Amino acid sequence: MTTRAFQKIYTKIENITKATVTLRAEGVGNDELATVGGKLAQVVKIMGDQVTLQVFAGTEGITTDSEVIFHGEPPKLRVSDNLAGRFFNAYGEPIEGGEQIEGEAREIGGPTVNPFRRIQPSELIATGIAGIDLNNTIVTGQKIPFFADPDQPYNAVMANVALRAKADKIILGGMGLSNDDFLYFKQVFENAGALDRIVSFVNTTENPPVERLLVPDMALTAAEYFAVDKGEKVLVLLTDMTLYADALAIVSNRMDQIPSKDSMPGSLYSDLAKIYEKAVQLPNGGSITIIAVTTLSGGDITHAIPDNTGYITEGQLFLRNDSDTGKVIVDPFRSLSRLKQLVIGKKTREDHPQVMNAAVRLYADAANAKTKLENGFDLSDYDERALKFAYDYSEKLLAIDVNIEITQMLDTAWELFAKYFSKEEVAIKSELVEKYWPKTE
Protein backbone atom coordinates (compact mmCIF):
# COMPACT_ATOMS: atom_id res chain seq x y z
CA MET A 1 0.00 0.00 0.00
CA THR A 2 1.17 3.52 -0.78
CA THR A 3 -0.42 6.85 0.11
CA ARG A 4 -0.81 9.81 -2.22
CA ALA A 5 -2.26 13.09 -0.88
CA PHE A 6 -4.35 11.39 1.83
CA GLN A 7 -5.59 8.71 -0.58
CA LYS A 8 -4.79 5.07 0.13
CA ILE A 9 -3.59 3.12 -2.89
CA TYR A 10 -3.60 -0.70 -3.02
CA THR A 11 -2.26 -2.94 -5.79
CA LYS A 12 -3.18 -6.44 -4.62
CA ILE A 13 -6.70 -7.62 -5.53
CA GLU A 14 -7.56 -11.07 -4.17
CA ASN A 15 -10.79 -11.85 -6.01
CA ILE A 16 -12.52 -10.53 -9.16
CA THR A 17 -16.11 -11.29 -10.28
CA LYS A 18 -18.03 -9.69 -13.17
CA ALA A 19 -19.15 -6.78 -10.99
CA THR A 20 -16.96 -6.79 -7.88
CA VAL A 21 -13.40 -6.94 -6.60
CA THR A 22 -12.21 -7.97 -3.14
CA LEU A 23 -8.97 -6.94 -1.40
CA ARG A 24 -7.53 -6.41 2.06
CA ALA A 25 -7.68 -2.77 3.18
CA GLU A 26 -7.86 -0.82 6.42
CA GLY A 27 -9.71 2.30 7.57
CA VAL A 28 -12.29 2.05 4.79
CA GLY A 29 -15.94 3.12 5.33
CA ASN A 30 -19.21 1.62 4.11
CA ASP A 31 -20.43 3.08 0.78
CA GLU A 32 -17.03 4.78 0.29
CA LEU A 33 -16.08 5.53 -3.32
CA ALA A 34 -12.89 4.23 -4.91
CA THR A 35 -11.25 3.94 -8.30
CA VAL A 36 -10.27 0.43 -9.45
CA GLY A 37 -8.03 0.38 -12.50
CA GLY A 38 -9.40 3.81 -13.44
CA LYS A 39 -13.05 2.72 -13.03
CA LEU A 40 -15.36 4.16 -10.36
CA ALA A 41 -16.38 1.68 -7.64
CA GLN A 42 -18.11 1.67 -4.26
CA VAL A 43 -17.62 -0.32 -1.06
CA VAL A 44 -20.53 -2.77 -0.64
CA LYS A 45 -19.19 -5.16 2.01
CA ILE A 46 -16.59 -5.07 4.81
CA MET A 47 -15.63 -8.26 6.70
CA GLY A 48 -12.73 -7.52 9.01
CA ASP A 49 -10.01 -6.20 6.70
CA GLN A 50 -11.63 -7.79 3.61
CA VAL A 51 -13.33 -5.13 1.50
CA THR A 52 -15.60 -5.82 -1.49
CA LEU A 53 -16.20 -3.07 -4.03
CA GLN A 54 -18.80 -3.02 -6.78
CA VAL A 55 -17.31 -1.64 -9.98
CA PHE A 56 -20.04 0.38 -11.73
CA ALA A 57 -18.85 -0.21 -15.28
CA GLY A 58 -17.98 -3.89 -14.67
CA THR A 59 -14.57 -5.47 -14.03
CA GLU A 60 -13.54 -6.22 -17.60
CA GLY A 61 -9.86 -5.29 -18.08
CA ILE A 62 -9.13 -5.20 -14.33
CA THR A 63 -6.29 -7.45 -13.13
CA THR A 64 -5.12 -8.54 -9.67
CA ASP A 65 -2.43 -5.84 -9.69
CA SER A 66 -4.75 -3.00 -10.82
CA GLU A 67 -4.48 0.16 -8.74
CA VAL A 68 -7.24 0.63 -6.14
CA ILE A 69 -7.53 4.19 -4.80
CA PHE A 70 -9.98 4.90 -1.97
CA HIS A 71 -11.49 8.40 -2.07
CA GLY A 72 -12.16 8.58 1.66
CA GLU A 73 -15.84 9.53 1.27
CA PRO A 74 -19.18 8.15 -0.01
CA PRO A 75 -20.98 9.58 -3.08
CA LYS A 76 -22.13 13.16 -2.59
CA LEU A 77 -24.40 15.63 -4.36
CA ARG A 78 -23.82 19.36 -4.41
CA VAL A 79 -27.12 21.00 -3.49
CA SER A 80 -28.31 24.51 -4.26
CA ASP A 81 -31.27 26.24 -5.93
CA ASN A 82 -29.32 25.92 -9.19
CA LEU A 83 -30.20 22.21 -9.41
CA ALA A 84 -33.57 23.19 -10.91
CA GLY A 85 -33.84 22.89 -14.66
CA ARG A 86 -30.83 20.57 -14.99
CA PHE A 87 -30.23 16.96 -16.05
CA PHE A 88 -27.63 14.90 -14.15
CA ASN A 89 -26.19 11.40 -14.39
CA ALA A 90 -26.16 8.84 -11.57
CA TYR A 91 -23.11 10.55 -10.02
CA GLY A 92 -24.78 13.98 -9.93
CA GLU A 93 -22.72 15.32 -12.86
CA PRO A 94 -24.44 17.50 -15.50
CA ILE A 95 -25.16 15.55 -18.69
CA GLU A 96 -26.37 18.35 -20.91
CA GLY A 97 -23.11 20.27 -20.78
CA GLY A 98 -23.23 23.41 -18.71
CA GLU A 99 -21.44 24.27 -15.52
CA GLN A 100 -20.96 22.09 -12.47
CA ILE A 101 -23.26 23.00 -9.58
CA GLU A 102 -21.68 25.10 -6.85
CA GLY A 103 -23.10 24.33 -3.43
CA GLU A 104 -22.85 22.29 -0.27
CA ALA A 105 -21.77 18.66 -0.87
CA ARG A 106 -24.16 16.28 0.91
CA GLU A 107 -23.81 12.54 1.38
CA ILE A 108 -26.47 10.60 -0.50
CA GLY A 109 -28.43 7.74 1.07
CA GLY A 110 -28.53 9.18 4.59
CA PRO A 111 -31.11 8.19 7.24
CA THR A 112 -34.81 9.01 6.88
CA VAL A 113 -36.38 11.91 8.78
CA ASN A 114 -36.81 11.29 12.51
CA PRO A 115 -40.44 10.23 13.22
CA PHE A 116 -40.68 12.99 15.86
CA ARG A 117 -40.18 15.56 13.08
CA ARG A 118 -42.99 14.17 10.94
CA ILE A 119 -46.61 15.29 10.99
CA GLN A 120 -49.69 13.60 9.57
CA PRO A 121 -50.16 14.46 5.89
CA SER A 122 -53.18 16.63 5.20
CA GLU A 123 -52.38 18.43 1.95
CA LEU A 124 -53.65 17.31 -1.42
CA ILE A 125 -51.34 16.78 -4.38
CA ALA A 126 -53.46 17.31 -7.49
CA THR A 127 -52.17 15.63 -10.65
CA GLY A 128 -54.92 16.67 -13.07
CA ILE A 129 -55.54 12.97 -13.84
CA ALA A 130 -59.07 12.07 -12.74
CA GLY A 131 -58.33 8.37 -12.23
CA ILE A 132 -55.95 9.55 -9.51
CA ASP A 133 -57.44 12.79 -8.13
CA LEU A 134 -61.09 11.64 -8.12
CA ASN A 135 -60.78 8.00 -7.07
CA ASN A 136 -57.31 7.65 -5.53
CA THR A 137 -56.39 11.08 -4.26
CA ILE A 138 -52.71 11.46 -3.33
CA VAL A 139 -51.58 13.30 -0.21
CA THR A 140 -48.30 15.14 0.39
CA GLY A 141 -45.82 12.86 2.13
CA GLN A 142 -47.36 9.73 0.58
CA LYS A 143 -45.47 6.93 -1.19
CA ILE A 144 -47.39 5.17 -3.96
CA PRO A 145 -46.36 3.13 -7.03
CA PHE A 146 -47.85 2.71 -10.48
CA PHE A 147 -48.05 -0.98 -11.35
CA ALA A 148 -47.92 -1.21 -15.15
CA ASP A 149 -47.13 -3.70 -17.89
CA PRO A 150 -43.90 -2.88 -19.77
CA ASP A 151 -45.81 -1.98 -22.97
CA GLN A 152 -47.93 0.70 -21.28
CA PRO A 153 -47.07 4.41 -21.62
CA TYR A 154 -46.07 4.81 -17.96
CA ASN A 155 -43.27 7.27 -18.74
CA ALA A 156 -45.75 9.47 -20.61
CA VAL A 157 -48.00 9.35 -17.52
CA MET A 158 -45.01 10.29 -15.34
CA ALA A 159 -44.17 13.25 -17.59
CA ASN A 160 -47.81 14.40 -17.47
CA VAL A 161 -47.89 14.13 -13.68
CA ALA A 162 -44.68 16.19 -13.55
CA LEU A 163 -46.25 18.97 -15.63
CA ARG A 164 -49.68 18.98 -13.97
CA ALA A 165 -48.88 18.30 -10.32
CA LYS A 166 -49.34 21.18 -7.93
CA ALA A 167 -45.87 20.97 -6.38
CA ASP A 168 -42.98 23.43 -5.93
CA LYS A 169 -40.34 21.02 -7.27
CA ILE A 170 -40.50 17.83 -9.31
CA ILE A 171 -37.52 15.47 -9.13
CA LEU A 172 -37.25 12.73 -11.74
CA GLY A 173 -35.13 9.65 -11.08
CA GLY A 174 -34.89 7.73 -14.36
CA MET A 175 -33.36 4.24 -14.19
CA GLY A 176 -32.64 2.27 -17.34
CA LEU A 177 -34.43 4.79 -19.57
CA SER A 178 -34.09 4.25 -23.30
CA ASN A 179 -32.53 7.18 -25.13
CA ASP A 180 -35.95 7.82 -26.69
CA ASP A 181 -37.56 8.06 -23.24
CA PHE A 182 -34.81 10.36 -22.00
CA LEU A 183 -35.23 12.69 -24.99
CA TYR A 184 -39.02 12.50 -24.57
CA PHE A 185 -38.80 13.69 -20.94
CA LYS A 186 -36.35 16.41 -21.94
CA GLN A 187 -38.49 17.73 -24.81
CA VAL A 188 -41.77 17.60 -22.84
CA PHE A 189 -40.23 19.56 -19.94
CA GLU A 190 -38.54 22.12 -22.22
CA ASN A 191 -41.60 22.64 -24.43
CA ALA A 192 -43.84 23.17 -21.41
CA GLY A 193 -41.47 25.80 -20.05
CA ALA A 194 -41.43 23.85 -16.79
CA LEU A 195 -37.70 23.24 -16.44
CA ASP A 196 -37.36 25.85 -13.69
CA ARG A 197 -39.05 23.48 -11.21
CA ILE A 198 -37.78 20.10 -12.45
CA VAL A 199 -34.51 18.33 -11.52
CA SER A 200 -33.65 15.10 -13.36
CA PHE A 201 -31.22 12.30 -12.54
CA VAL A 202 -30.98 9.86 -15.40
CA ASN A 203 -29.35 6.49 -16.07
CA THR A 204 -30.00 5.28 -19.63
CA THR A 205 -29.72 1.81 -21.11
CA GLU A 206 -26.31 2.85 -22.49
CA ASN A 207 -24.93 3.36 -18.95
CA PRO A 208 -23.86 0.45 -16.72
CA PRO A 209 -26.93 -1.07 -14.97
CA VAL A 210 -25.22 -0.94 -11.55
CA GLU A 211 -25.18 2.89 -11.75
CA ARG A 212 -28.97 2.77 -11.34
CA LEU A 213 -28.46 2.03 -7.65
CA LEU A 214 -27.27 5.62 -7.12
CA VAL A 215 -30.20 7.32 -8.87
CA PRO A 216 -32.92 7.14 -6.15
CA ASP A 217 -30.47 8.34 -3.49
CA MET A 218 -29.36 11.26 -5.68
CA ALA A 219 -33.00 12.21 -6.37
CA LEU A 220 -33.97 11.99 -2.70
CA THR A 221 -30.94 13.98 -1.51
CA ALA A 222 -32.03 16.79 -3.84
CA ALA A 223 -35.63 16.36 -2.59
CA GLU A 224 -34.53 16.68 1.04
CA TYR A 225 -32.68 19.89 0.27
CA PHE A 226 -35.80 21.53 -1.18
CA ALA A 227 -38.25 20.05 1.39
CA VAL A 228 -36.24 20.23 4.62
CA ASP A 229 -34.08 23.32 3.97
CA LYS A 230 -36.51 25.32 1.82
CA GLY A 231 -39.91 24.14 3.13
CA GLU A 232 -41.11 23.26 -0.39
CA LYS A 233 -43.63 20.67 -1.61
CA VAL A 234 -41.51 18.18 -3.56
CA LEU A 235 -42.79 15.37 -5.78
CA VAL A 236 -40.26 12.62 -6.57
CA LEU A 237 -40.98 10.44 -9.64
CA LEU A 238 -38.97 7.19 -9.85
CA THR A 239 -39.10 5.05 -12.98
CA ASP A 240 -38.56 2.12 -13.21
CA MET A 241 -38.10 0.48 -9.78
CA THR A 242 -38.10 -3.00 -11.36
CA LEU A 243 -34.90 -2.08 -13.23
CA TYR A 244 -33.48 -0.74 -9.94
CA ALA A 245 -34.22 -4.07 -8.25
CA ASP A 246 -32.69 -5.96 -11.21
CA ALA A 247 -29.48 -3.98 -10.66
CA LEU A 248 -29.54 -4.99 -6.97
CA ALA A 249 -29.85 -8.62 -8.07
CA ILE A 250 -26.90 -8.30 -10.46
CA VAL A 251 -24.63 -7.11 -7.65
CA SER A 252 -25.81 -9.62 -5.02
CA ASN A 253 -25.63 -12.57 -7.45
CA ARG A 254 -22.09 -11.65 -8.48
CA MET A 255 -21.11 -11.44 -4.82
CA ASP A 256 -22.35 -15.05 -4.54
CA GLN A 257 -25.10 -14.13 -2.09
CA ILE A 258 -27.84 -16.76 -1.90
CA PRO A 259 -30.80 -15.32 -3.82
CA SER A 260 -34.27 -15.09 -2.31
CA LYS A 261 -37.65 -15.28 -4.11
CA ASP A 262 -37.53 -14.65 -7.90
CA SER A 263 -33.69 -14.42 -7.86
CA MET A 264 -33.89 -11.19 -5.85
CA PRO A 265 -31.49 -10.45 -2.98
CA GLY A 266 -32.70 -11.22 0.55
CA SER A 267 -32.27 -7.53 1.37
CA LEU A 268 -34.85 -6.43 -1.26
CA TYR A 269 -37.48 -5.32 1.28
CA SER A 270 -35.06 -3.11 3.24
CA ASP A 271 -33.44 -1.79 0.03
CA LEU A 272 -36.85 -0.64 -1.25
CA ALA A 273 -38.03 0.61 2.16
CA LYS A 274 -34.89 2.75 2.51
CA ILE A 275 -36.05 4.66 -0.57
CA TYR A 276 -39.81 4.83 0.00
CA GLU A 277 -39.52 5.78 3.68
CA LYS A 278 -37.98 9.12 2.63
CA ALA A 279 -41.55 10.27 1.90
CA VAL A 280 -42.48 12.73 4.64
CA GLN A 281 -44.68 15.66 5.66
CA LEU A 282 -42.66 18.15 7.71
CA PRO A 283 -43.88 20.75 10.24
CA ASN A 284 -42.28 23.56 8.18
CA GLY A 285 -44.72 22.86 5.33
CA GLY A 286 -42.10 21.02 3.30
CA SER A 287 -42.94 17.53 2.05
CA ILE A 288 -41.58 14.70 -0.07
CA THR A 289 -44.16 12.67 -1.98
CA ILE A 290 -42.93 9.64 -3.96
CA ILE A 291 -44.68 8.25 -7.03
CA ALA A 292 -42.79 5.32 -8.55
CA VAL A 293 -43.29 2.97 -11.48
CA THR A 294 -42.96 -0.77 -10.95
CA THR A 295 -43.26 -2.65 -14.23
CA LEU A 296 -44.87 -6.08 -13.99
CA SER A 297 -43.78 -9.18 -15.83
CA GLY A 298 -46.89 -10.55 -17.55
CA GLY A 299 -49.11 -8.71 -15.06
CA ASP A 300 -47.71 -10.78 -12.18
CA ILE A 301 -48.21 -8.86 -8.91
CA THR A 302 -46.96 -11.81 -6.83
CA HIS A 303 -43.38 -11.29 -8.07
CA ALA A 304 -40.99 -10.28 -5.27
CA ILE A 305 -40.64 -6.66 -6.50
CA PRO A 306 -44.34 -5.61 -6.56
CA ASP A 307 -45.05 -7.93 -3.60
CA ASN A 308 -42.48 -6.24 -1.34
CA THR A 309 -43.43 -2.80 -2.70
CA GLY A 310 -47.07 -3.35 -1.69
CA TYR A 311 -46.08 -3.87 1.95
CA ILE A 312 -44.05 -0.66 2.08
CA THR A 313 -46.20 1.81 0.13
CA GLU A 314 -49.58 3.35 0.90
CA GLY A 315 -51.61 1.87 -1.93
CA GLN A 316 -50.98 1.43 -5.64
CA LEU A 317 -52.19 2.79 -8.98
CA PHE A 318 -52.91 0.24 -11.72
CA LEU A 319 -52.72 1.17 -15.37
CA ARG A 320 -54.66 -0.99 -17.82
CA ASN A 321 -55.87 -0.82 -21.40
CA ASP A 322 -59.64 -0.33 -21.58
CA SER A 323 -60.93 -2.59 -24.36
CA ASP A 324 -64.11 -0.51 -24.90
CA THR A 325 -62.60 2.96 -25.37
CA GLY A 326 -59.12 1.83 -26.51
CA LYS A 327 -57.57 4.18 -23.94
CA VAL A 328 -55.20 3.55 -21.04
CA ILE A 329 -57.07 4.10 -17.78
CA VAL A 330 -56.31 4.10 -14.06
CA ASP A 331 -58.20 0.95 -13.03
CA PRO A 332 -60.76 1.89 -10.34
CA PHE A 333 -61.03 -1.67 -9.02
CA ARG A 334 -57.36 -2.48 -8.47
CA SER A 335 -56.08 1.01 -7.56
CA LEU A 336 -56.09 2.23 -4.00
CA SER A 337 -54.74 5.28 -2.17
CA ARG A 338 -54.74 4.44 1.53
CA LEU A 339 -54.44 8.08 2.60
CA LYS A 340 -57.18 9.61 0.44
CA GLN A 341 -59.65 9.84 3.34
CA LEU A 342 -57.35 12.46 4.93
CA VAL A 343 -58.26 14.97 2.20
CA ILE A 344 -61.37 13.96 0.24
CA GLY A 345 -64.37 16.03 1.33
CA LYS A 346 -62.05 18.03 3.62
CA LYS A 347 -59.63 19.69 1.18
CA THR A 348 -61.95 18.96 -1.75
CA ARG A 349 -65.67 19.62 -2.25
CA GLU A 350 -68.08 18.04 0.26
CA ASP A 351 -69.64 15.70 -2.35
CA HIS A 352 -66.29 14.10 -3.32
CA PRO A 353 -66.49 10.89 -1.19
CA GLN A 354 -70.10 10.13 -2.21
CA VAL A 355 -69.54 10.88 -5.90
CA MET A 356 -66.41 8.70 -5.94
CA ASN A 357 -68.20 5.74 -4.31
CA ALA A 358 -71.31 6.04 -6.48
CA ALA A 359 -69.31 6.21 -9.72
CA VAL A 360 -67.25 3.11 -8.88
CA ARG A 361 -70.38 1.20 -7.79
CA LEU A 362 -72.14 2.02 -11.08
CA TYR A 363 -68.97 1.08 -12.99
CA ALA A 364 -69.03 -2.28 -11.18
CA ASP A 365 -72.68 -2.75 -12.24
CA ALA A 366 -71.52 -2.23 -15.82
CA ALA A 367 -68.82 -4.89 -15.38
CA ASN A 368 -71.53 -7.33 -14.20
CA ALA A 369 -73.68 -6.41 -17.21
CA LYS A 370 -70.72 -7.11 -19.49
CA THR A 371 -70.34 -10.59 -17.94
CA LYS A 372 -74.06 -11.27 -18.54
CA LEU A 373 -73.67 -10.18 -22.16
CA GLU A 374 -70.63 -12.40 -22.71
CA ASN A 375 -72.53 -15.38 -21.26
CA GLY A 376 -75.51 -14.85 -23.56
CA PHE A 377 -78.01 -13.47 -21.01
CA ASP A 378 -80.49 -10.74 -21.88
CA LEU A 379 -79.66 -7.28 -20.55
CA SER A 380 -82.15 -5.17 -18.60
CA ASP A 381 -82.74 -1.51 -19.35
CA TYR A 382 -80.59 -0.66 -16.29
CA ASP A 383 -77.75 -2.89 -17.61
CA GLU A 384 -77.82 -1.09 -20.96
CA ARG A 385 -77.60 2.30 -19.27
CA ALA A 386 -74.81 1.14 -16.96
CA LEU A 387 -72.73 0.02 -19.96
CA LYS A 388 -73.17 3.39 -21.67
CA PHE A 389 -72.25 5.15 -18.42
CA ALA A 390 -69.09 2.99 -18.07
CA TYR A 391 -67.98 3.93 -21.59
CA ASP A 392 -68.38 7.66 -20.90
CA TYR A 393 -66.86 7.34 -17.42
CA SER A 394 -63.75 5.66 -18.93
CA GLU A 395 -63.53 8.19 -21.74
CA LYS A 396 -64.15 11.37 -19.71
CA LEU A 397 -62.73 10.54 -16.28
CA LEU A 398 -60.60 7.39 -16.02
CA ALA A 399 -58.45 7.88 -19.15
CA ILE A 400 -54.94 9.12 -18.39
CA ASP A 401 -55.18 11.86 -21.05
CA VAL A 402 -57.96 13.70 -19.15
CA ASN A 403 -56.53 16.87 -17.57
CA ILE A 404 -59.05 18.80 -15.47
CA GLU A 405 -59.40 20.25 -11.96
CA ILE A 406 -61.05 18.16 -9.21
CA THR A 407 -64.17 20.39 -9.09
CA GLN A 408 -64.63 19.85 -12.83
CA MET A 409 -64.19 16.08 -12.35
CA LEU A 410 -67.00 16.10 -9.78
CA ASP A 411 -69.25 18.16 -12.07
CA THR A 412 -68.53 15.77 -14.97
CA ALA A 413 -69.48 12.78 -12.78
CA TRP A 414 -72.79 14.45 -11.81
CA GLU A 415 -73.53 15.10 -15.52
CA LEU A 416 -72.96 11.41 -16.31
CA PHE A 417 -75.19 10.35 -13.40
CA ALA A 418 -78.02 12.57 -14.64
CA LYS A 419 -77.56 11.43 -18.25
CA TYR A 420 -77.97 7.70 -17.52
CA PHE A 421 -79.63 7.21 -14.13
CA SER A 422 -82.41 8.44 -11.87
CA LYS A 423 -81.57 10.17 -8.59
CA GLU A 424 -82.70 7.04 -6.70
CA GLU A 425 -80.40 4.74 -8.70
CA VAL A 426 -77.38 6.90 -7.98
CA ALA A 427 -78.12 6.62 -4.22
CA ILE A 428 -76.30 9.71 -2.98
CA LYS A 429 -77.45 11.70 0.11
CA SER A 430 -80.52 13.75 -0.82
CA GLU A 431 -79.05 17.09 0.33
CA LEU A 432 -76.07 16.60 -2.01
CA VAL A 433 -78.35 15.56 -4.88
CA GLU A 434 -80.44 18.70 -4.36
CA LYS A 435 -77.32 20.86 -4.43
CA TYR A 436 -75.31 19.31 -7.27
CA TRP A 437 -77.69 17.39 -9.58
CA PRO A 438 -77.54 19.19 -12.95
CA LYS A 439 -80.55 21.47 -13.42
CA THR A 440 -82.45 20.71 -16.62
CA GLU A 441 -83.35 23.78 -18.60
Side-chain angles (χ1 to χ4, degrees), residues 249-437:
I250 289 171
V251 175
S252 69
N253 291 344
R254 289 177 184 171
M255 285 169 63
D256 297 327
Q257 291 178 357
I258 297 167
S260 183
K261 183 174 179 248
D262 298 317
S263 304
M264 285 291 133
S267 62
L268 180 65
Y269 182 91
S270 52
D271 289 326
L272 292 173
K274 188 175 70 121
I275 292 167
Y276 286 116
E277 291 302 339
K278 294 272 184 168
V280 63
Q281 173 74 55
L282 296 160
N284 70 354
S287 61
I288 296 173
T289 308
I290 299 174
I291 302 180
V293 167
T294 298
T295 49
L296 304 174
S297 173
D300 179 14
I301 59 163
T302 65
H303 187 282
I305 303 168
D307 190 30
N308 279 287
T309 301
Y311 283 106
I312 299 163
T313 54
E314 291 138 350
Q316 70 279 330
L317 300 165
F318 257 96
L319 292 182
R320 77 166 165 85
N321 296 317
D322 181 50
S323 52
D324 295 330
T325 59
K327 292 192 168 184
V328 177
I329 66 168
V330 180
D331 190 334
F333 299 143
R334 301 180 79 187
S335 301
L336 169 70
S337 166
R338 292 201 185 102
L339 302 187
K340 64 185 175 189
Q341 71 279 3
L342 298 174
V343 291
I344 63 171
K346 300 180 178 82
K347 295 294 168 84
T348 59
R349 211 166 68 185
E350 59 181 337
D351 56 325
H352 187 163
Q354 296 246 324
V355 168
M356 172 189 77
N357 290 335
V360 174
R361 178 171 43 78
L362 296 167
Y363 191 69
D365 288 347
N368 291 335
K370 211 172 180 183
T371 306
K372 279 165 78 173
L373 193 62
E374 285 161 0
N375 291 326
F377 292 100
D378 290 338
L379 296 186
S380 67
D381 169 57
Y382 177 82
D383 290 335
E384 299 275 9
R385 287 183 283 124
L387 285 171
K388 286 176 182 164
F389 164 78
Y391 185 94
D392 272 5
Y393 180 55
S394 285
E395 176 105 336
K396 294 179 177 171
L397 285 172
L398 296 181
I400 56 173
D401 58 2
V402 175
N403 177 18
I404 51 178
E405 297 291 327
I406 293 183
T407 305
Q408 206 179 333
M409 295 171 193
L410 294 166
D411 291 343
T412 302
W414 281 108
E415 284 162 20
L416 295 180
F417 293 159
K419 184 175 177 183
Y420 295 110
F421 303 105
S422 68
K423 294 176 181 177
E424 293 71 33
E425 287 169 331
V426 172
I428 288 178
K429 279 185 186 169
S430 54
E431 60 264 32
L432 294 175
V433 172
E434 290 306 314
K435 192 167 176 183
Y436 296 108
W437 195 269

Side-chain angles (χ1 to χ4, degrees), residues 95-373:
I95 48 177
E96 81 286 26
E99 297 168 9
Q100 291 282 356
I101 298 292
E102 294 295 319
E104 181 197 339
R106 291 199 181 168
E107 271 185 36
I108 68 167
T112 56
V113 173
N114 185 321
F116 280 104
R117 289 194 59 204
R118 296 167 179 250
I119 59 171
Q120 187 181 53
S122 60
E123 295 298 315
L124 168 87
I125 282 228
T127 64
I129 298 173
I132 300 175
D133 295 351
L134 184 63
N135 294 338
N136 300 288
T137 322
I138 293 176
V139 181
T140 54
Q142 188 167 357
K143 41 195 179 291
I144 193 164
F146 271 109
F147 287 159
D149 289 322
D151 59 346
Q152 285 173 334
Y154 52 86
N155 281 330
V157 178
M158 281 296 206
N160 285 338
V161 168
L163 295 181
R164 301 171 188 176
K166 302 286 188 284
D168 299 315
K169 291 286 184 298
I170 310 282
I171 301 190
L172 171 71
M175 292 157 274
L177 291 183
S178 69
N179 264 336
D180 286 351
D181 281 334
F182 170 51
L183 291 172
Y184 170 78
F185 276 118
K186 207 164 183 235
Q187 282 166 353
V188 167
F189 295 163
E190 282 172 357
N191 293 348
L195 277 179
D196 60 330
R197 61 190 189 98
I198 297 175
V199 187
S200 305
F201 296 89
V202 175
N203 155 276
T204 68
T205 47
E206 292 183 356
N207 306 129
V210 178
E211 285 182 5
R212 292 171 202 161
L213 301 181
L214 294 171
V215 170
D217 285 340
M218 283 285 172
L220 289 161
T221 301
E224 286 176 330
Y225 168 73
F226 290 113
V228 178
D229 296 29
K230 300 285 178 178
E232 292 187 342
K233 273 167 82 169
V234 183
L235 178 59
V236 177
L237 306 174
L238 299 173
T239 173
D240 163 12
M241 290 301 286
T242 298
L243 294 178
Y244 169 82
D246 287 344
L248 284 174
I250 289 171
V251 175
S252 69
N253 291 344
R254 289 177 184 171
M255 285 169 63
D256 297 327
Q257 291 178 357
I258 297 167
S260 183
K261 183 174 179 248
D262 298 317
S263 304
M264 285 291 133
S267 62
L268 180 65
Y269 182 91
S270 52
D271 289 326
L272 292 173
K274 188 175 70 121
I275 292 167
Y276 286 116
E277 291 302 339
K278 294 272 184 168
V280 63
Q281 173 74 55
L282 296 160
N284 70 354
S287 61
I288 296 173
T289 308
I290 299 174
I291 302 180
V293 167
T294 298
T295 49
L296 304 174
S297 173
D300 179 14
I301 59 163
T302 65
H303 187 282
I305 303 168
D307 190 30
N308 279 287
T309 301
Y311 283 106
I312 299 163
T313 54
E314 291 138 350
Q316 70 279 330
L317 300 165
F318 257 96
L319 292 182
R320 77 166 165 85
N321 296 317
D322 181 50
S323 52
D324 295 330
T325 59
K327 292 192 168 184
V328 177
I329 66 168
V330 180
D331 190 334
F333 299 143
R334 301 180 79 187
S335 301
L336 169 70
S337 166
R338 292 201 185 102
L339 302 187
K340 64 185 175 189
Q341 71 279 3
L342 298 174
V343 291
I344 63 171
K346 300 180 178 82
K347 295 294 168 84
T348 59
R349 211 166 68 185
E350 59 181 337
D351 56 325
H352 187 163
Q354 296 246 324
V355 168
M356 172 189 77
N357 290 335
V360 174
R361 178 171 43 78
L362 296 167
Y363 191 69
D365 288 347
N368 291 335
K370 211 172 180 183
T371 306
K372 279 165 78 173
L373 193 62

Side-chain angles (χ1 to χ4, degrees), residues 34-51:
T35 314
V36 180
K39 295 182 175 185
L40 196 62
Q42 186 177 19
V43 174
V44 285
K45 188 176 169 187
I46 301 175
M47 297 272 290
D49 65 350
Q50 278 222 326
V51 178

